[in-house]
Amino acid sequence: MRVTLLGTGCPQVSTRRYGPSSLLRWNDRQFLVDCGSGVTQRLLGAGSAGKAIDALFLTHLHSDHIIDLFQLIISSWHQGRDRPQRIFGPPGTRQYLHGLMALWRPELDQRIAHEKRPSTVALELNITEVEPGIVLHDGDLTVIAVPVRHQPVKAAYGYVFTDGRQKVAFSGDTAFCPELILAAKDADALVHECFIHREMLALPGVRGLETIENVASYHTLSTEVGKVAAQARARCLILNHFVPVAFDAGALLAEVRADYEGPVLIGEDLMQFDTATGMVSHGDAVVALPLS
C-alpha cells in the first residue's frame, strides 16, 4: 500500500498545507480519504487524477473535509471519467450531495447542452452512507469504518484499509479514541490528525481562549498522539491535518517521542509512504524507514 498525503492543513489558509485529504493506492486501485481544498491539484501533483479514483471515503461532513467535492466531480468529468463517482460517508452525505448537485444544476445543464461532451456518467453519484464495520470489499481489500470521537459532530469515522498482509489506518478528526486504537492495532501506518495546543494563541477578533479550548476538545493533542500510536503498536506514525498549520516541528517531534518509539513522519503535502518497503519520498528526497 502507498499512502500519499495530499493536504495536511486545516481551515486556516496555507499555500504549503492544503485542506485535509489523503490518497491510498493498493494494486491498481486508488482511494481518496476526504476532499479538502486543493485536492484536485494535489492529485495531479501525486501523479493521479480525479478520473482515476475508485472510491472517496469521507470521515465527516465538516467543511474543510468536503469543500472541494464539487471540484472533484466536475474536474473528473472534464478529465473523461467513464463511471459514476463512488462516495462513502456518514449519515447526511446523501442529503449534502443531492443539495450540492442541485445548487450547480443550472450551470451543469448549460454546460452539458453547450459543450456536447461524449458522456455525463461522471456526474452521476453512487452514494453509500456508512455504519460502523466493514463498508467495502474489493478483492482482498477490506475497508472498515471506525466511529471516532469528534463531538458535537454526530457521526465521524476513521477508516482502516487492510488486505490481510498490510494495514493502514486513518484517524479522521477525533479526540483521544480507544475505539480507533483497537481498530488500528499493528497497522503498518497510522495516519493521524494533530492539534498543537501550545501553538494556538488567542488573537483578538479571531479566536479567544474559549474558542481554542472548544476546538482542542474534539481533536487529538500533540501530547496525546504518541500514546495513541504506542497503544496501537503502529509500525509508523504519520502526522497530518495539523492545527495550526505553522508550528515548531522539532518541538512537536519531541512531544510525540516522549510516548512513541517508532518512526514518526511530520506530514507534508505530497509526502508518500510505501508500507511494503518503508520508503518515504517527498520532492527529491527518498529515505527508508527502519520498520520493525
Side-chain angles (χ1 to χ4, degrees), residues 70-71 98-110:
F70 187 74
Q71 166 65 11
H98 286 172
L100 182 67
M101 298 305 286
L103 176 68
W104 286 100
R105 179 50 56 190
E107 196 253 9
L108 283 175
D109 287 345
Q110 183 185 70

Side-chain angles (χ1 to χ4, degrees), residues 20-59:
S21 184
S22 299
L23 176 67
L24 184 136
R25 293 177 170 104
W26 176 78
N27 294 341
D28 62 346
R29 300 286 198 271
Q30 298 191 53
F31 302 102
L32 197 59
V33 179
D34 284 331
C35 201
S37 60
V39 63
T40 53
Q41 289 82 4
R42 288 302 197 213
L43 277 170
L44 290 181
S48 184
K51 70 175 183 178
I53 298 302
D54 291 285
L56 163 64
F57 295 87
L58 300 176
T59 59

